[in-house]
């Protein structure tokens, strides 16, 4: 029977051939009848157990934390770190491989990859898995800029004639020059020179400083390639200056990383900019979605995908605003996005979450036409209407800022249940285009309104238990509370939401204006409200939930079953993913209890 042991089952797939031989020679098999405790709470385990057949329940008192099946492994923590914090009980007739503790500890000492499985922190496990799994585009994205073949910097004086600059570009086979003009340094390209001569009718002896750009967008030699891709996307640039210790050392062009980055997302902003009608933008939406699928297929990390996607979507929304907003709204408006789009955690396009603040009232006919045109175009592109009607077309979310401030006050003072949720949605808002100061003013007003509102903050915090069921942290309760089968889990409700809302609650409490959940967590750590270890674990758990949700979203799109875009079938997860999911849910449970205790939620 030990020879049938699956050595490709994580974490054993990290062992060498010789180490697998050592492990197989030491294997035993244990039988456990239904109801028998395999490891009791507080007991030190003398074996690492791998389920062959049957089912094992991990229990915290009467709460079932998780259910383990064939190929699942337990209890790595008690084997290495000390007495078991939970009990493991046979839920039915169960057979397990038994790996002696001494053999496990020896392998842990010799094999760092294998040892990663026994880390108690999900952040360390994920880092170890990412190092091993990096390949394809993710490997390229994680390369440093200095490792890419880029063009060396060529400097010219600002007085050099544009004709001489053109000849120098041809001679040096470099389409970009750095221009020194006193204390300033600018950049000029072949396209700039051609436009200056052909379009602007500049004479060939005109000084190059008249046609170069001094708003140089740059990237560091030690920055990652994915940071360069994001910068190109965000700033609509096809090239970036490269900074060294003593100034600019070169230029990185999109063509330099074209072979490294699937789909070349920095080309999409140009397509958006060229749109002349709302219909012209629809292919761009499809390109953004294709980019998400391509990057995921080739192994890009979910944080990179989300940041690129959010930047592209915001550029798309800004362009649509320019195309459909009447002059009165363009002059007075601030377009904002909220939800995961606002937090920069969007990957696959989901419900619309957007709004409009106005510096002053505009003609009602203009506003009505804009509401219909903007929301209708997004729906036409494939962004479904928000079930909660958090959209520009809803007058609640598109109005003069003074009226909106009164509405904020009403949400705080009103006993209505939708008040806290609306405040949470708005707190995630970011400005896409227009008068950014309007959103800053409204955010400041919200923070002032909430200062000292202890009872209201507790009411606001209660939403963290919205999908938790009666027993916080219980995996089966998660499943029951989200209304799916016993072998399925809604990772958005069970995992992502509690982290997002808990961090949002604490951020409002402390007046922290960061919007992304990870940056809120970092700010809370800096503020001393949560420990660095917990902050790291929360960020890692969120990353994992986003990753497995993205897989579910892409599967739902492929089968045209959008209602399942957050549903994960546990039986389809690898043993490694089930292990990570259990760890991530433990982090959620711990965080939920911190929020519950801080805001005394047990009294509700």
């Amino acid at each position: 029977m030990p020879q049938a042991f699956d050595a490709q089952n994580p974490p054993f797939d990290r062992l060498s051939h010789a180490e697998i031989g050592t492990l197989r020679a030491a294997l035993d098999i244990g039988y456990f009848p239904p109801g028998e405790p395999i490891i009791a709470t507080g007991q030190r385990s003398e074996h690492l157990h791998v389920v062959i057949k049957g089912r094992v329940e991990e229990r915290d008192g009467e709460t079932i934390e998780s259910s383990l099946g064939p190929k699942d492994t337990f209890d790595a923590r008690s084997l290495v770190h000390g007495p078991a914090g939970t009990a493991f009980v046979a839920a039915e007739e169960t057979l397990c491989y038994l790996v002696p503790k001494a053999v496990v500890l020896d392998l842990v000492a010799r094999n760092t990859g294998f040892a990663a499985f026994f880390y108690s922190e999900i952040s360390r496990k994920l880092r170890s898995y990412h190092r091993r799994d990096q390949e394809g585009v993710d490997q390229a994205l994680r390369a440093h800029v200095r490792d890419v073949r880029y063009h060396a910097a060529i400097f010219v004086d600002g007085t050099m004639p544009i004709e001489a600059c053109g000849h120098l570009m041809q001679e040096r086979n470099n389409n970009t020059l750095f221009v020194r003009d006193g204390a300033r340094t600018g950049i000029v390209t072949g396209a700039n020179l051609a436009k200056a001569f052909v379009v602007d009718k500049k004479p060939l002896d005109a000084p190059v400083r008249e046609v170069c750009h001094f708003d140089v967008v740059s990237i560091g030699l030690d920055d990652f390639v994915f940071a360069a891709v994001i910068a190109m996307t965000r700033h609509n640039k096809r090239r970036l200056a490269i900074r060294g210790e003593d100034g600019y050392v070169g230029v990185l062009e999109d063509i330099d990383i074209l072979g490294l980055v699937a789909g070349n997302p920095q080309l999409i902003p140009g397509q958006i900019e060229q749109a002349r009608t709302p219909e012209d933008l629809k292919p761009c939406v499809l390109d953004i979605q294709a980019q998400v699928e391509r990057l995921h297929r080739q192994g890009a990390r979910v944080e990179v995908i989300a940041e690129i996607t959010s930047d592209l979507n915001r550029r798309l929304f800004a362009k649509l605003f320019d195309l459909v907003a009447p002059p009165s709204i363009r002059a007075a408006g601030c377009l904002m996005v909220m939800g995961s789009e606002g937090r920069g955690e969007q990957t696959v396009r989901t419900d619309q979450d957007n709004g409009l603040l106005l510096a002053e009232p505009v003609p009602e006919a203009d506003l009505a036409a804009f509401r219909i045109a903007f929301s209708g175009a997004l729906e036409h592109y494939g962004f479904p209407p928000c079930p909660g009607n958090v959209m520009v077309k809803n007058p609640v979310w598109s109005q003069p800022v003074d009226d909106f401030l009164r509405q904020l006050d009403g949400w705080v003072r009103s006993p209505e249940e939708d008040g806290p949720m609306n405040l949470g949605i708005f707190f995630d808002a970011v400005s896409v285009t227009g008068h950014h100061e309007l959103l800053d003013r409204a955010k400041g007003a919200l923070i002032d309104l909430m200062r000292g509102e202890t009872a209201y903050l507790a009411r606001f915090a209660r939403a963290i238990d919205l999908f938790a069921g009666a027993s916080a942290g219980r995996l089966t309760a998660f499943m029951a509370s989200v209304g799916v089968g016993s072998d399925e889990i809604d990772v958005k409700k069970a995992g992502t939401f509690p982290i997002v809302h808990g961090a949002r609650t604490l951020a409002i409490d402390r007046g922290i204006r960061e919007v992304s959940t990870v940056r809120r967590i970092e700010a809370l750590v800096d503020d001393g409200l949560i420990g660095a270890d917990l902050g790291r674990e929360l960020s890692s758990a969120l990353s994992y939930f986003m990753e497995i949700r993205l897989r579910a979203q892409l599967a739902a799109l492929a089968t045209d079953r959008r209602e399942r875009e957050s549903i994960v079938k546990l039986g389809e997860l690898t043993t490694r993913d089930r292990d990570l999911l259990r760890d991530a849910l433990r982090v959620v449970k711990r965080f939920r209890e911190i929020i519950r205790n801080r805001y005394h939620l047990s009294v509700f």
Side-chain angles (χ1 to χ4, degrees), residues 353-375:
D353 281 298
N354 46 60
L356 176 73
L357 296 177
L358 295 164
E360 58 190 20
V362 299
E364 190 58 37
D366 287 358
L367 186 53
F370 173 72
R371 286 168 175 160
I372 293 171
F374 188 84
S375 296

Side-chain angles (χ1 to χ4, degrees), residues 134-182:
Q134 282 174 359
E135 58 185 34
V137 69
D138 192 44
Q139 204 167 34
L141 288 168
R142 302 296 295 183
H144 293 282
V145 169
R146 67 169 65 251
D147 298 325
V148 180
R149 185 177 298 173
Y150 58 83
H151 301 275
I154 302 173
F155 289 88
V156 299
D157 191 86
T159 59
M160 178 179 280
I162 61 175
E163 181 180 21
C165 290
H167 287 303
L168 180 60
M169 287 180 180
Q170 185 176 30
E171 175 188 331
R172 300 288 291 273
N173 192 28
N174 193 328
N175 196 44
T176 308
L177 301 176
F178 287 94
V179 180
R180 289 194 175 111
D181 184 53

Side-chain angles (χ1 to χ4, degrees), residues 260-424:
L260 299 177
V261 180
N264 213 17
Q266 63 270 33
L267 299 181
I268 298 176
Q271 299 168 6
I272 293 173
E273 192 58 36
Q274 291 167 13
R276 294 295 175 263
T277 68
E279 192 62 28
D280 293 341
L281 289 173
K282 187 170 185 180
C284 300
V285 177
L286 299 177
D287 286 344
I288 294 170
Q289 184 58 49
Q291 183 63 40
V292 170
E293 296 176 19
R294 191 179 297 113
L295 286 170
H296 182 263
R297 186 167 59 247
Q298 298 198 17
R301 295 183 64 177
V302 68
E303 297 90 344
V304 175
I305 297 174
E307 190 158 3
I308 290 174
T309 303
S310 294
D311 281 338
L312 292 173
N313 280 345
R314 291 175 192 180
R315 189 176 294 275
L316 179 99
F317 300 150
K319 184 65 176 182
L320 178 62
F321 179 86
D322 288 341
L323 290 174
V324 303
S328 60
I329 290 178
R330 288 203 301 273
C334 170
L335 180 69
M336 57 186 179
V337 293
M338 294 165 278
S340 58
E341 199 76 71
R343 297 191 304 272
E345 294 158 9
Q346 181 73 277
T347 50
V348 174
R349 60 181 181 273
T350 53
D351 303 334
Q352 296 185 42
D353 281 298
N354 46 60
L356 176 73
L357 296 177
L358 295 164
E360 58 190 20
V362 299
E364 190 58 37
D366 287 358
L367 186 53
F370 173 72
R371 286 168 175 160
I372 293 171
F374 188 84
S375 296
L378 289 182
E379 187 171 355
H380 176 61
Y381 300 156
F383 291 90
C386 174
N389 206 19
V390 182
M391 297 181 289
V392 159
K393 73 176 184 180
N394 182 355
V396 169
W397 294 100
S398 56
Q399 56 180 304
V401 65
D402 290 334
D403 295 338
F404 188 76
L405 293 180
R406 285 190 286 272
Q407 185 169 273
L408 285 178
D409 185 74
W411 284 339
V412 173
R413 311 299 176 201
S414 170
E416 297 297 324
E417 286 300 318
D418 61 352
M421 189 56 66
N422 285 335
L423 290 175

